[in-house]
């Protein structure tokens, strides 16, 4: 997640978040508070229209 956010790749960030959510759902456990905070922080740090395709 941090790598995609650092690259400004909002789409990649969303993909990483979705994967984490699916893994946690498969394990039947909730995301940790720190993970939720990180997701929120990363989502607000990338402008919506900034997506790179490197």
């Amino acid at each position: 997640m941090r790598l995609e956010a650092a690259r400004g790749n909002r789409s990649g960030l969303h993909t990483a978040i979705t994967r984490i959510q699916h893994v946690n759902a498969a394990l039947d456990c909730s995301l940790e508070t720190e993970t939720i905070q990180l997701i929120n922080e990363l989502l607000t740090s990338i402008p919506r229209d900034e997506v790179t395709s490197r």
Side-chain angles (χ1 to χ4, degrees):
M1 290 187 306
R2 289 180 193 263
L3 176 62
E4 297 298 353
R7 292 186 63 197
N9 185 355
R10 191 167 188 83
S11 176
L13 175 58
H14 280 282
T15 298
I17 292 167
T18 300
R19 285 182 183 162
I20 290 170
Q21 291 170 329
H22 285 201
V23 168
N24 278 45
L27 297 172
D28 194 29
C29 61
S30 301
L31 291 172
E32 292 187 3
T33 302
E34 293 83 357
T35 304
I36 295 169
Q37 290 171 344
L38 176 61
I39 289 170
N40 290 333
E41 177 185 317
L42 295 176
L43 286 174
T44 59
S45 69
I46 300 175
R48 287 191 174 268
D49 60 352
E50 184 180 336
V51 176
T52 60
S53 58
R54 294 182 210 189

